[in-house]
Amino acid sequence: MTTATWTWMNGEWVRWDDATVHVSSHALHYGSSVFEGIRAYATADGPQIFRLREHLQRLHDSARLLRMTLPYGVDELTEACVELVRRNGHDACYLRPLAFRGPGGLGVDGRHLPVEVALLSMEWGAYLGDGALENGVDAAVSSWRRFGSGTLAPLGKIGGQYVNNQLVTAEARENGYEEGIVLDAQGMVSEGAGENLFVVKDGTVWTPPLSASILSGITRHTVMTLAADLGIPLREQTMTRDFLYLADELFMTGTAAEVTPVRSLDRIPIGDGRRGPITERLQREFFDVVEGRTDDRHGWLTRVGGGSGSDDA
Ligand code: PMP
Protein backbone atom coordinates (compact mmCIF):
# COMPACT_ATOMS: atom_id res chain seq x y z
CA MET A 1 0.00 0.00 0.00
CA THR A 2 1.45 3.37 -1.06
CA THR A 3 -0.17 6.41 0.53
CA ALA A 4 -0.82 9.68 -1.26
CA THR A 5 0.32 13.27 -0.70
CA TRP A 6 -3.08 14.87 -0.21
CA THR A 7 -6.15 14.02 1.82
CA TRP A 8 -9.42 15.90 2.03
CA MET A 9 -10.63 16.66 5.56
CA ASN A 10 -13.80 18.56 6.34
CA GLY A 11 -13.66 20.50 3.09
CA GLU A 12 -9.92 21.31 3.17
CA TRP A 13 -6.93 19.82 1.36
CA VAL A 14 -4.62 18.49 4.07
CA ARG A 15 -1.26 16.74 3.68
CA TRP A 16 -1.27 13.03 4.64
CA ASP A 17 0.92 13.54 7.73
CA ASP A 18 -1.29 16.37 9.00
CA ALA A 19 -4.58 14.48 8.63
CA THR A 20 -4.94 13.69 12.34
CA VAL A 21 -7.75 13.48 14.91
CA HIS A 22 -8.03 14.05 18.64
CA VAL A 23 -7.81 10.94 20.87
CA SER A 24 -11.07 11.87 22.55
CA SER A 25 -12.93 11.37 19.27
CA HIS A 26 -16.08 9.35 19.96
CA ALA A 27 -15.45 7.01 17.01
CA LEU A 28 -12.13 5.86 18.47
CA HIS A 29 -13.89 4.74 21.65
CA TYR A 30 -17.19 3.39 20.33
CA GLY A 31 -16.73 2.68 16.63
CA SER A 32 -19.13 5.43 15.52
CA SER A 33 -17.76 5.80 12.02
CA VAL A 34 -18.99 4.92 8.56
CA PHE A 35 -16.77 4.32 5.59
CA GLU A 36 -16.45 3.22 1.99
CA GLY A 37 -13.89 1.54 -0.21
CA ILE A 38 -13.84 2.58 -3.85
CA ARG A 39 -11.46 1.86 -6.70
CA ALA A 40 -10.30 4.06 -9.53
CA TYR A 41 -8.89 2.18 -12.52
CA ALA A 42 -6.37 3.18 -15.16
CA THR A 43 -8.16 3.40 -18.50
CA ALA A 44 -7.29 4.75 -21.94
CA ASP A 45 -9.17 7.92 -20.86
CA GLY A 46 -7.04 8.32 -17.73
CA PRO A 47 -8.13 7.21 -14.26
CA GLN A 48 -11.83 6.54 -13.86
CA ILE A 49 -13.64 5.92 -10.59
CA PHE A 50 -15.91 2.86 -10.49
CA ARG A 51 -19.48 3.31 -9.23
CA LEU A 52 -18.56 6.41 -7.24
CA ARG A 53 -22.10 7.70 -6.65
CA GLU A 54 -23.37 4.32 -5.47
CA HIS A 55 -20.56 4.13 -2.92
CA LEU A 56 -21.20 7.66 -1.66
CA GLN A 57 -24.92 6.93 -1.46
CA ARG A 58 -24.12 3.85 0.65
CA LEU A 59 -21.94 6.05 2.89
CA HIS A 60 -24.99 8.23 3.48
CA ASP A 61 -27.16 5.15 4.08
CA SER A 62 -24.69 3.81 6.66
CA ALA A 63 -24.73 7.22 8.39
CA ARG A 64 -28.55 7.17 8.47
CA LEU A 65 -28.44 3.88 10.38
CA LEU A 66 -26.30 5.60 13.03
CA ARG A 67 -28.61 8.67 13.05
CA MET A 68 -25.61 10.62 11.82
CA THR A 69 -26.10 13.51 9.39
CA LEU A 70 -23.21 14.02 7.02
CA PRO A 71 -22.39 17.69 6.44
CA TYR A 72 -21.57 16.98 2.76
CA GLY A 73 -23.96 15.64 0.15
CA VAL A 74 -23.25 13.00 -2.48
CA ASP A 75 -22.56 15.68 -5.14
CA GLU A 76 -19.99 17.51 -3.01
CA LEU A 77 -18.24 14.28 -2.07
CA THR A 78 -18.27 13.12 -5.68
CA GLU A 79 -16.43 16.26 -6.73
CA ALA A 80 -13.97 15.98 -3.86
CA CYS A 81 -13.18 12.32 -4.71
CA VAL A 82 -12.52 13.20 -8.34
CA GLU A 83 -10.25 16.05 -7.30
CA LEU A 84 -8.44 13.81 -4.79
CA VAL A 85 -7.50 11.29 -7.49
CA ARG A 86 -6.42 14.08 -9.81
CA ARG A 87 -4.39 15.99 -7.20
CA ASN A 88 -2.56 12.90 -6.06
CA GLY A 89 -1.73 12.02 -9.67
CA HIS A 90 -2.98 8.46 -9.33
CA ASP A 91 -3.39 6.31 -12.44
CA ALA A 92 -5.29 3.81 -10.33
CA CYS A 93 -6.03 3.85 -6.60
CA TYR A 94 -8.22 2.80 -3.70
CA LEU A 95 -10.31 5.57 -2.16
CA ARG A 96 -11.44 5.54 1.45
CA PRO A 97 -14.20 7.98 2.41
CA LEU A 98 -14.68 8.07 6.19
CA ALA A 99 -17.13 9.94 8.41
CA PHE A 100 -17.02 9.78 12.18
CA ARG A 101 -18.20 11.33 15.42
CA GLY A 102 -15.46 13.58 16.72
CA PRO A 103 -14.46 14.96 20.12
CA GLY A 104 -16.73 16.65 22.69
CA GLY A 105 -17.87 14.03 25.18
CA LEU A 106 -17.43 10.40 26.08
CA GLY A 107 -21.05 9.44 26.72
CA VAL A 108 -22.16 6.54 24.55
CA ASP A 109 -24.84 8.71 22.92
CA GLY A 110 -22.79 10.70 20.42
CA ARG A 111 -25.62 12.23 18.43
CA HIS A 112 -24.74 15.81 19.46
CA LEU A 113 -21.06 15.52 18.52
CA PRO A 114 -19.50 17.06 15.41
CA VAL A 115 -19.33 14.76 12.39
CA GLU A 116 -15.98 14.84 10.64
CA VAL A 117 -15.52 13.67 7.08
CA ALA A 118 -12.28 12.63 5.40
CA LEU A 119 -11.26 11.21 2.04
CA LEU A 120 -8.05 9.20 1.68
CA SER A 121 -6.47 7.56 -1.33
CA MET A 122 -3.70 5.02 -1.73
CA GLU A 123 -2.27 2.70 -4.32
CA TRP A 124 -3.30 -0.84 -3.51
CA GLY A 125 -2.95 -3.98 -5.66
CA ALA A 126 -4.75 -7.32 -5.35
CA TYR A 127 -6.27 -7.44 -1.84
CA LEU A 128 -5.87 -11.17 -1.30
CA GLY A 129 -2.27 -11.32 -2.54
CA ASP A 130 -0.29 -11.78 -5.76
CA GLY A 131 -1.75 -14.42 -8.03
CA ALA A 132 -5.07 -14.53 -6.13
CA LEU A 133 -7.09 -13.32 -9.12
CA GLU A 134 -5.67 -16.01 -11.41
CA ASN A 135 -5.09 -18.95 -9.07
CA GLY A 136 -7.73 -18.43 -6.41
CA VAL A 137 -7.36 -18.42 -2.64
CA ASP A 138 -7.70 -20.95 0.15
CA ALA A 139 -10.59 -20.06 2.46
CA ALA A 140 -12.06 -21.50 5.63
CA VAL A 141 -15.48 -21.34 7.26
CA SER A 142 -14.99 -19.22 10.34
CA SER A 143 -15.80 -20.32 13.86
CA TRP A 144 -17.23 -16.79 14.26
CA ARG A 145 -20.72 -15.94 13.04
CA ARG A 146 -21.75 -12.80 11.15
CA PHE A 147 -23.89 -10.56 13.37
CA GLY A 148 -27.59 -10.46 12.55
CA SER A 149 -29.87 -7.46 12.12
CA GLY A 150 -31.21 -8.04 15.64
CA THR A 151 -27.76 -7.23 17.01
CA LEU A 152 -26.17 -4.74 14.62
CA ALA A 153 -26.97 -3.37 11.16
CA PRO A 154 -25.42 -5.66 8.52
CA LEU A 155 -26.45 -3.38 5.65
CA GLY A 156 -24.34 -0.56 7.13
CA LYS A 157 -20.63 -0.17 6.53
CA ILE A 158 -20.07 0.96 10.09
CA GLY A 159 -16.62 1.03 11.73
CA GLY A 160 -17.52 -0.66 15.02
CA GLN A 161 -19.15 -3.57 13.23
CA TYR A 162 -15.83 -4.42 11.59
CA VAL A 163 -14.55 -5.89 14.85
CA ASN A 164 -16.53 -8.94 13.74
CA ASN A 165 -14.73 -8.95 10.37
CA GLN A 166 -11.37 -8.54 12.12
CA LEU A 167 -12.03 -11.62 14.26
CA VAL A 168 -12.90 -13.61 11.14
CA THR A 169 -9.97 -12.53 9.01
CA ALA A 170 -7.41 -12.80 11.81
CA GLU A 171 -8.55 -16.34 12.64
CA ALA A 172 -8.36 -17.34 8.98
CA ARG A 173 -4.85 -15.90 8.51
CA GLU A 174 -3.56 -17.40 11.79
CA ASN A 175 -4.73 -20.77 10.49
CA GLY A 176 -2.98 -20.32 7.14
CA TYR A 177 -5.93 -19.32 4.96
CA GLU A 178 -6.26 -16.18 2.90
CA GLU A 179 -9.84 -15.47 3.91
CA GLY A 180 -12.63 -16.55 6.26
CA ILE A 181 -16.24 -17.15 5.27
CA VAL A 182 -18.94 -16.54 7.87
CA LEU A 183 -22.27 -18.16 8.50
CA ASP A 184 -25.17 -16.03 9.73
CA ALA A 185 -26.84 -16.36 13.13
CA GLN A 186 -29.06 -19.15 11.73
CA GLY A 187 -26.06 -21.09 10.40
CA MET A 188 -26.75 -20.25 6.73
CA VAL A 189 -23.95 -18.98 4.45
CA SER A 190 -23.46 -15.24 4.72
CA GLU A 191 -20.28 -13.82 3.12
CA GLY A 192 -16.51 -13.41 3.32
CA ALA A 193 -14.81 -11.17 5.89
CA GLY A 194 -14.66 -8.39 3.30
CA GLU A 195 -16.39 -9.89 0.28
CA ASN A 196 -19.69 -11.26 -0.94
CA LEU A 197 -19.80 -14.88 -2.00
CA PHE A 198 -20.95 -16.64 -5.17
CA VAL A 199 -21.34 -20.34 -5.98
CA VAL A 200 -21.46 -21.81 -9.48
CA LYS A 201 -23.34 -25.10 -9.67
CA ASP A 202 -24.62 -26.83 -12.81
CA GLY A 203 -24.25 -23.67 -14.90
CA THR A 204 -26.21 -21.44 -12.50
CA VAL A 205 -24.69 -18.77 -10.26
CA TRP A 206 -26.03 -18.64 -6.70
CA THR A 207 -25.50 -15.97 -4.08
CA PRO A 208 -26.93 -15.48 -0.57
CA PRO A 209 -29.75 -12.91 -0.29
CA LEU A 210 -29.67 -9.71 1.80
CA SER A 211 -31.60 -11.60 4.49
CA ALA A 212 -28.43 -13.66 5.15
CA SER A 213 -26.98 -10.62 7.00
CA ILE A 214 -24.69 -9.66 4.12
CA LEU A 215 -23.46 -6.23 3.14
CA SER A 216 -25.23 -5.23 -0.06
CA GLY A 217 -22.01 -5.18 -2.06
CA ILE A 218 -21.64 -2.92 -5.05
CA THR A 219 -19.35 -5.46 -6.74
CA ARG A 220 -22.02 -8.10 -5.99
CA HIS A 221 -24.57 -5.94 -7.79
CA THR A 222 -22.09 -5.41 -10.62
CA VAL A 223 -21.51 -9.14 -11.07
CA MET A 224 -25.26 -9.85 -10.92
CA THR A 225 -25.80 -7.26 -13.66
CA LEU A 226 -22.94 -8.64 -15.79
CA ALA A 227 -24.27 -12.21 -15.40
CA ALA A 228 -27.63 -11.00 -16.72
CA ASP A 229 -25.87 -9.19 -19.61
CA LEU A 230 -24.04 -12.43 -20.49
CA GLY A 231 -27.17 -14.59 -20.18
CA ILE A 232 -25.78 -16.57 -17.24
CA PRO A 233 -28.62 -17.66 -14.93
CA LEU A 234 -28.29 -16.34 -11.37
CA ARG A 235 -30.32 -16.90 -8.23
CA GLU A 236 -30.27 -15.22 -4.85
CA GLN A 237 -30.78 -18.15 -2.57
CA THR A 238 -30.30 -19.04 1.08
CA MET A 239 -27.65 -21.76 1.14
CA THR A 240 -26.20 -24.22 3.59
CA ARG A 241 -22.52 -24.73 4.37
CA ASP A 242 -22.34 -28.15 2.71
CA PHE A 243 -23.58 -26.65 -0.57
CA LEU A 244 -20.32 -24.67 -0.72
CA TYR A 245 -18.11 -27.78 -0.61
CA LEU A 246 -20.10 -29.28 -3.52
CA ALA A 247 -19.82 -26.17 -5.70
CA ASP A 248 -18.34 -26.45 -9.19
CA GLU A 249 -16.83 -22.99 -8.66
CA LEU A 250 -16.75 -20.52 -5.79
CA PHE A 251 -15.73 -16.88 -5.96
CA MET A 252 -15.80 -13.75 -3.84
CA THR A 253 -16.49 -10.16 -4.85
CA GLY A 254 -15.60 -6.84 -3.25
CA THR A 255 -14.07 -3.51 -4.13
CA ALA A 256 -10.72 -4.55 -2.64
CA ALA A 257 -10.91 -8.25 -3.65
CA GLU A 258 -12.54 -7.52 -7.06
CA VAL A 259 -13.55 -10.97 -8.40
CA THR A 260 -11.40 -13.56 -6.63
CA PRO A 261 -11.80 -17.32 -7.13
CA VAL A 262 -11.81 -19.60 -4.07
CA ARG A 263 -9.87 -22.75 -4.92
CA SER A 264 -10.39 -24.63 -1.66
CA LEU A 265 -12.62 -24.40 1.38
CA ASP A 266 -11.41 -25.99 4.61
CA ARG A 267 -8.78 -27.75 2.45
CA ILE A 268 -11.47 -29.39 0.31
CA PRO A 269 -10.75 -28.47 -3.34
CA ILE A 270 -13.60 -26.62 -5.04
CA GLY A 271 -14.25 -28.26 -8.41
CA ASP A 272 -10.81 -29.15 -9.73
CA GLY A 273 -9.12 -26.66 -7.40
CA ARG A 274 -8.58 -23.93 -9.99
CA ARG A 275 -10.40 -20.88 -11.30
CA GLY A 276 -13.48 -22.18 -13.11
CA PRO A 277 -14.77 -21.13 -16.55
CA ILE A 278 -17.80 -19.09 -15.39
CA THR A 279 -15.70 -17.30 -12.77
CA GLU A 280 -13.15 -16.51 -15.46
CA ARG A 281 -15.82 -15.22 -17.84
CA LEU A 282 -17.37 -12.93 -15.23
CA GLN A 283 -13.94 -11.82 -14.09
CA ARG A 284 -12.92 -10.95 -17.66
CA GLU A 285 -16.14 -9.01 -18.21
CA PHE A 286 -15.64 -7.21 -14.88
CA PHE A 287 -12.11 -6.08 -15.74
CA ASP A 288 -13.12 -5.13 -19.29
CA VAL A 289 -15.80 -2.86 -17.82
CA VAL A 290 -13.77 -1.31 -14.97
CA GLU A 291 -10.68 -0.79 -17.12
CA GLY A 292 -12.79 0.82 -19.84
CA ARG A 293 -12.16 -1.78 -22.58
CA THR A 294 -15.86 -2.22 -23.25
CA ASP A 295 -18.56 0.41 -23.59
CA ASP A 296 -19.60 1.84 -20.21
CA ARG A 297 -23.16 0.71 -20.94
CA HIS A 298 -24.35 1.06 -17.35
CA GLY A 299 -22.78 4.48 -16.69
CA TRP A 300 -20.53 3.13 -13.94
CA LEU A 301 -17.33 5.10 -14.60
CA THR A 302 -16.53 8.66 -13.55
CA ARG A 303 -13.74 10.35 -15.48
CA VAL A 304 -11.07 12.16 -13.51
CA GLY A 305 -8.84 13.72 -16.14
CA GLY A 306 -5.10 13.72 -15.53
CA GLY A 307 -3.02 10.56 -14.97
CA SER A 308 -0.49 9.27 -17.46
CA GLY A 309 -3.12 7.66 -19.72
CA SER A 310 -4.74 11.01 -20.53
CA ASP A 311 -3.92 14.23 -22.34
CA ASP A 312 -5.39 16.37 -19.54
CA ALA A 313 -2.85 18.17 -17.40
N1 PMP B 1 -19.02 -7.61 2.64
C1 PMP B 1 -18.24 -6.95 3.49
C2 PMP B 1 -18.30 -7.29 4.93
C3 PMP B 1 -17.37 -5.95 3.03
O1 PMP B 1 -16.58 -5.28 3.88
C4 PMP B 1 -17.32 -5.67 1.66
C5 PMP B 1 -16.38 -4.62 1.13
N2 PMP B 1 -16.97 -3.34 1.13
C6 PMP B 1 -18.17 -6.38 0.80
C7 PMP B 1 -19.01 -7.35 1.32
C8 PMP B 1 -18.19 -6.10 -0.67
O2 PMP B 1 -18.79 -4.85 -0.92
P1 PMP B 1 -18.40 -3.95 -2.16
O3 PMP B 1 -18.50 -4.82 -3.35
O4 PMP B 1 -19.41 -2.87 -2.16
O5 PMP B 1 -17.02 -3.46 -1.93
Side-chain angles (χ1 to χ4, degrees):
M1 194 180 95
T2 311
T3 58
T5 309
W6 291 103
T7 72
W8 182 97
M9 262 189 108
N10 305 314
E12 311 279 340
W13 295 102
V14 179
R15 284 187 177 272
W16 183 276
D17 288 343
D18 300 325
T20 55
V21 298
H22 197 269
V23 288
S24 66
S25 293
H26 191 266
L28 221 41
H29 300 254
Y30 302 123
S32 50
S33 64
V34 297
F35 67 103
E36 273 304 319
I38 309 174
R39 276 193 192 263
Y41 287 91
T43 77
D45 285 331
Q48 300 205 61
I49 309 177
F50 187 62
R51 306 202 70 174
L52 176 57
R53 288 191 76 83
E54 292 92 331
H55 280 284
L56 294 173
Q57 184 56 54
R58 188 172 66 185
L59 184 76
H60 272 263
D61 290 349
S62 298
R64 180 184 292 264
L65 292 169
L66 279 187
R67 302 175 194 273
M68 180 193 277
T69 305
L70 301 190
Y72 304 95
V74 168
D75 288 342
E76 279 170 291
L77 293 175
T78 297
E79 258 177 55
C81 285
V82 167
E83 181 56 23
L84 183 68
V85 176
R86 186 210 299 269
R87 242 175 211 256
N88 282 323
H90 295 297
D91 287 328
C93 68
Y94 179 87
L95 288 147
R96 167 54 56 84
L98 173 73
F100 59 97
R101 291 199 160 113
L106 289 183
V108 169
D109 183 5
R111 287 171 304 156
H112 59 290
L113 296 173
V115 175
E116 304 206 22
V117 183
L119 303 172
L120 307 177
S121 65
M122 56 207 71
E123 293 184 6
W124 201 355
Y127 176 64
L128 293 172
D130 291 342
L133 295 170
E134 297 79 23
N135 305 322
V137 296
D138 301 308
V141 174
S142 183
S143 70
W144 298 98
R145 293 283 176 93
R146 171 98 172 148
F147 50 85
S149 64
T151 313
L152 291 167
L155 289 176
K157 212 165 159 56
I158 297 172
Q161 296 188 346
Y162 274 74
V163 170
N164 176 255
N165 306 248
Q166 290 180 61
L167 294 172
V168 174
T169 196
E171 179 191 57
R173 302 259 165 100
E174 289 281 341
N175 290 334
Y177 300 97
E178 272 89 34
E179 192 56 300
I181 288 170
V182 267
L183 307 180
D184 69 12
Q186 283 71 43
M188 294 296 157
V189 175
S190 183
E191 61 179 357
E195 306 85 10
N196 293 113
L197 196 63
F198 289 79
V199 167
V200 181
K201 180 81 179 163
D202 299 330
T204 296
V205 181
W206 308 64
T207 195
L210 297 190
S211 56
S213 301
I214 64 169
L215 183 76
S216 182
I218 290 166
T219 319
R220 173 182 183 271
H221 180 268
T222 301
V223 164
M224 290 170 74
T225 305
L226 296 179
D229 290 353
L230 295 173
I232 300 170
L234 185 143
R235 291 177 59 178
E236 284 181 272
Q237 175 71 49
T238 305
M239 57 182 79
T240 55
R241 173 178 181 170
D242 49 349
F243 188 66
L244 299 183
Y245 301 111
L246 302 182
D248 298 329
E249 304 175 34
L250 195 59
F251 65 90
M252 301 191 291
T253 65
T255 297
E258 299 168 307
V259 178
T260 298
V262 177
R263 66 181 174 194
S264 75
L265 183 62
D266 296 321
R267 305 286 178 217
I268 298 177
I270 299 299
D272 57 9
R274 284 182 296 155
R275 174 173 64 185
I278 293 184
T279 305
E280 192 174 351
R281 197 150 160 239
L282 287 166
Q283 205 181 40
R284 193 179 330 119
E285 188 68 16
F286 175 82
F287 282 107
D288 282 348
V289 168
V290 299
E291 292 173 352
R293 283 188 295 275
T294 58
D295 178 39
D296 182 19
R297 58 189 181 272
H298 299 290
W300 285 337
L301 298 174
T302 301
R303 267 188 106 241
V304 168
S308 55
S310 151
D311 298 329
D312 297 26

